[in-house]
Structures are given as C-alpha cells and as structure tokens.
Amino acid sequence: MKHTGIKEEDNASTVTQFLLLGFSDLPNLQGVLFGMFSIMYVTIIIGNSFIIVVTRIDPTLHKPMYFFLTNFSFLEICYVSVTLPRILYSIWTQDRSISLLACATQMCFFLMLAATDSILLAVMSYDRYVAICNPLHYPLVMNQTKCTQLAVGSWLGGMPFQLGQTCQIFSLHFCNANRIDHFFCDIPPVLKLACGDTSLNELYVYVVTILLAAIPFVLILTSYSKIIATILRLPTAEGRAKAFFTCSSHLVVVLLFYVSASITYLMPKSRHSALSDKLVSFLHGCDPHVQPHDIQP
C-alpha cells in the first residue's frame, strides 16, 4: 500500500493507490464469476451493436424514436465498458490495485454516463409524449435539428456537475485507508474511506442527484401521466395495447434505473452496507437496458 504524506502535525495521509476488493470474499467462485461477467459483457456489446446497425441501415427506422434508441444503445455500451472490463481484469489476474487517477477517472465517466442515462430517458419519454398525445405535430416538433439538440444536451448536460463532484471527492484525504469493498470506484464506498467530515460531499451528492435524476424523473412522470390518459381515451383495445407496448420497455428501464440510483446515492452513508452497494450497483451499472426486441418498425 502506497501513501503520500501530507503534514505530520495533522497526523493524516492520503493514499495513491486503492484496492478493489470486489468479489475476493468468494475465492471458489472466481471462474464462475469471470464466465458470467464475460457472457454478460459480450451479450450487451453484441445486442446493442445490433440495434445500432439495424437502425442505421433500415430506412424505415430513420425516425426520432430509433435515433434516441441508437443513442441509448451506444450509451449502454459505454456504460458497461467503464466497469465490466476492470472487473474481468481483476478476476483474471487477481490484481485488485487501481491508482488514484484511474479510480477517479472511472468514477467520473461512470457518473457522467449515469447523468446522460437519466436525461436521455427523459428525452425519450418526451418523444413518446409528442408521438402519442400530439401525433399531427410530431414531425414538426421532433425534427432532425431538435432531435440532435436533445441528444447533444443529454450527453453534455451532466458533465460539469459530475466532473466537479469527482474532483471534490478525490480532494479528500483517505487516512491510510485504501481498501474499497466494491468492484468499481463508486461514490458510497469511496466516501467511506475518507477521514474527517464528509457531510458537504454528501450534500453535493444529494443536490446533483436531485438536479440530474429527480428533475428528469418528474418530467418522465408528467409525460407518462399524459400518455396514459391519452391511451385510455383510444377507441379500440388493439390501439391501446399497441400504444402501451411501445412504452413498456422504456418504463421498465426507468423503474430499474431510478430505484437503483435512489438507493445508491440518496441513502445516508452510515446506512450503506458493502453487500447492498454491490447488489444495487450491479443492477445500476451492469444491466443491459436495451434488447433487440425493442425494435418495432
């Protein structure tokens, strides 16, 4: 374990290297875990790549809904690539060390992609709202320029906040503690290692979560309340079923994302357990949200 001294009178130091304990408490299952994560990673990459290719080469899918679906598929590839390759490397080599810079970089990209996920889910719900509630205005409202602006805003909207949050967390001292009881560098397990008062950091986490998760979630609820009201007024059962089907997969993704994010980032640090953090983060960061059957011509 490497340390860099700060001040002798402070009797504190900060680490330059962390150890990701991950699943080291399951030594007999390392091979099984490696195989499971490998299959998961390959499945997510192939499934989302398939969606991207199909939506690009099929002219009938050149619509706003599939433009955002393509963005979402690419986002999922990036999302899991931040965590799963590192997990596979640690299991294969049994080398669980990660430098301070690598840990901060992983956290920053994970948080930025999570923010993009949240905003993009809200954008997709807005797209469905316009399509179902204002179908005659849909081509005019969701034109190519508007779609591009919404997509760019989704990718860039959370970057300044998450970059600032990461810098704030890694400016803390870690007091000779460098064992992260997690499989990647996420906020709760890293904050547990910090010495001194971290209440300001926790407050910043709450503020950013409200700004980048709660507000988009309210927009999603607003959109779907109007969508459901419109669907229920449709004259035929077949029309209602088709409208509900086009929104069902998106609603499942919204539920999984926001429930796991709320548990991870809104629960006080003192109430986090290592096992719950791992299970929730597994759902939050390694779940293949988009599947090929989501493509409906």
Side-chain angles (χ1 to χ4, degrees):
M1 180 166 60
K2 303 177 182 179
H3 304 283
T4 300
I6 304 300
K7 290 182 179 179
E8 290 184 5
E9 60 269 24
D10 290 341
N11 192 28
S13 64
T14 187
V15 301
T16 60
Q17 182 172 280
F18 291 104
L19 291 177
L20 290 169
L21 299 183
F23 302 98
S24 58
D25 55 341
L26 302 171
N28 297 327
L29 295 178
Q30 297 299 296
V32 175
L33 289 171
F34 183 84
M36 182 182 71
F37 283 122
S38 297
I39 294 172
M40 181 182 299
Y41 188 49
V42 171
T43 301
I44 294 172
I45 296 296
I46 293 177
N48 285 282
S49 297
F50 173 78
I51 291 175
I52 293 172
V53 171
V54 170
T55 54
R56 297 309 302 167
I57 64 176
D58 189 344
T60 64
L61 299 179
H62 292 175
K63 301 174 183 178
M65 175 181 176
Y66 302 106
F67 171 75
F68 294 124
L69 183 60
T70 300
N71 274 267
F72 200 76
S73 294
F74 181 68
L75 171 63
E76 292 308 304
I77 292 174
C78 296
Y79 208 14
V80 296
S81 295
V82 171
T83 55
L84 279 179
R86 177 68 212 191
I87 296 171
L88 293 172
Y89 172 81
S90 296
I91 295 175
W92 180 259
T93 65
Q94 293 300 299
D95 178 10
R96 306 186 186 281
S97 62
I98 183 171
S99 70
L100 186 74
L101 178 60
C103 188
T105 301
Q106 184 185 56
M107 178 184 290
C108 186
F109 275 99
F110 181 81
L111 294 177
M112 288 192 297
L113 292 170
T116 300
D117 205 337
S118 177
I119 299 171
L120 191 57
L121 285 172
V123 168
M124 293 173 76
S125 71
Y126 174 70
D127 170 71
R128 292 298 82 206
Y129 160 73
V130 178
I132 294 174
C133 300
N134 297 288
L136 297 180
H137 296 118
Y138 184 69
L140 180 63
V141 175
M142 301 303 293
N143 56 64
Q144 185 174 359
T145 301
K146 182 70 168 292
C147 290
T148 302
Q149 290 173 344
L150 290 171
V152 172
S154 299
W155 283 95
L156 301 180
M159 284 187 178
F161 302 98
Q162 303 294 29
L163 182 60
Q165 181 164 235
T166 303
C167 292
Q168 186 187 49
I169 289 172
F170 282 89
S171 65
L172 297 169
H173 299 319
F174 295 99
C175 299
N176 299 325
N178 75 335
R179 297 167 67 85
I180 300 176
D181 195 3
H182 207 38
F183 49 82
F184 71 97
C185 294
D186 200 5
I187 292 177
V190 172
L191 273 183
K192 281 184 179 180
L193 303 182
C195 54
D197 184 14
T198 60
S199 57
L200 182 62
N201 301 88
E202 293 186 61
L203 177 62
Y204 193 88
V205 171
Y206 296 145
V207 171
V208 171
T209 302
I210 290 172
L211 185 64
L212 299 179
I215 292 178
F217 183 63
V218 170
L219 295 176
I220 291 171
L221 289 180
T222 303
S223 296
Y224 271 102
S225 64
K226 296 182 178 182
I227 288 172
I228 292 172
T230 300
I231 290 175
L232 292 177
R233 289 198 298 267
L234 293 177
T236 65
E238 182 181 354
R240 291 193 293 270
K242 184 177 180 180
F244 272 120
F245 183 77
T246 62
C247 301
S248 60
S249 59
H250 182 255
L251 283 173
V252 172
V253 172
V254 168
L255 182 63
L256 286 173
F257 179 84
Y258 283 103
V259 168
S260 59
S262 298
I263 294 173
T264 300
Y265 300 114
L266 293 180
M267 183 183 294
K269 185 180 71 169
S270 59
R271 298 185 61 184
H272 280 276
S273 70
L275 179 59
S276 65
D277 283 344
K278 290 178 185 179
L279 291 175
V280 173
S281 294
F282 180 79
L283 290 173
H284 183 55
C286 302
D287 184 61
H289 297 327
V290 182
Q291 299 294 337
H293 61 67
D294 291 330
I295 300 179
Q296 298 291 329

